Amino acid sequence: MSLYPPDEFQETFVLEQVQNDRYTISDGTRIMDLHLVQGNPHAAGMLMVHLPKERLLIEADLFNPPAANAPLPPTASAANTSLYNNVQRLKLDVAQIVPIHGRVFPWADFAKIVGSGKTN
């Protein structure tokens, strides 16, 4: 049986300790915060990772950056807007997005896409 959008909680894993939208893992040197993405049109229960010291946001499927030297997309998708809204809601300090599918992308350029107010 297939669900659309897929539900990550119905797959083979559950992070039971993600409470209040956050779960922190640390080795004593680096901190990695996992956050639930609320209002995500792509998949319920999806997580994003924030490395606060490095100011990196790691995510999958919510933003796929354009190729290097390509123009910025003129519109934001619902998934793009969801990602942006979650980062704002959580007050994360992000300098770069590290997408699972694509190249590292400056947060400021992503904010320009979402801030245009145009959606597709």
Side-chain angles (χ1 to χ4, degrees):
M1 184 167 150
S2 175
L3 299 174
Y4 188 80
D7 185 341
E8 299 291 332
F9 289 124
Q10 293 185 358
E11 293 185 6
T12 59
F13 63 91
V14 175
L15 288 174
E16 295 178 8
Q17 296 196 28
V18 177
Q19 298 176 6
N20 299 321
D21 298 332
R22 180 177 173 178
Y23 180 72
T24 299
I25 300 170
S26 178
D27 64 1
T29 302
R30 174 172 283 150
I31 295 172
M32 181 172 78
D33 292 325
L34 285 74
H35 297 278
L36 286 170
V37 180
Q38 293 183 356
N40 179 3
H42 181 66
M46 186 171 248
L47 299 174
M48 62 183 176
V49 175
H50 182 236
L51 301 176
K53 181 179 176 183
E54 295 82 358
R55 299 179 57 213
L56 298 175
L57 182 73
I58 304 165
E59 59 81 28
D61 301 335
L62 300 175
F63 176 65
N64 297 317
N69 301 318
L72 295 178
T75 59
S77 70
N80 297 166
T81 302
S82 172
L83 178 63
Y84 181 83
N85 289 343
N86 275 275
V87 169
Q88 297 305 307
R89 174 181 64 81
L90 295 165
K91 297 177 176 52
L92 303 180
D93 183 15
V94 177
Q96 296 186 75
I97 301 173
V98 181
I100 299 302
H101 309 292
R103 65 186 177 92
V104 174
F105 196 79
W107 177 261
D109 289 344
F110 173 71
K112 288 177 191 174
I113 296 167
V114 177
S116 73
K118 299 176 186 174
T119 58
N120 59 17

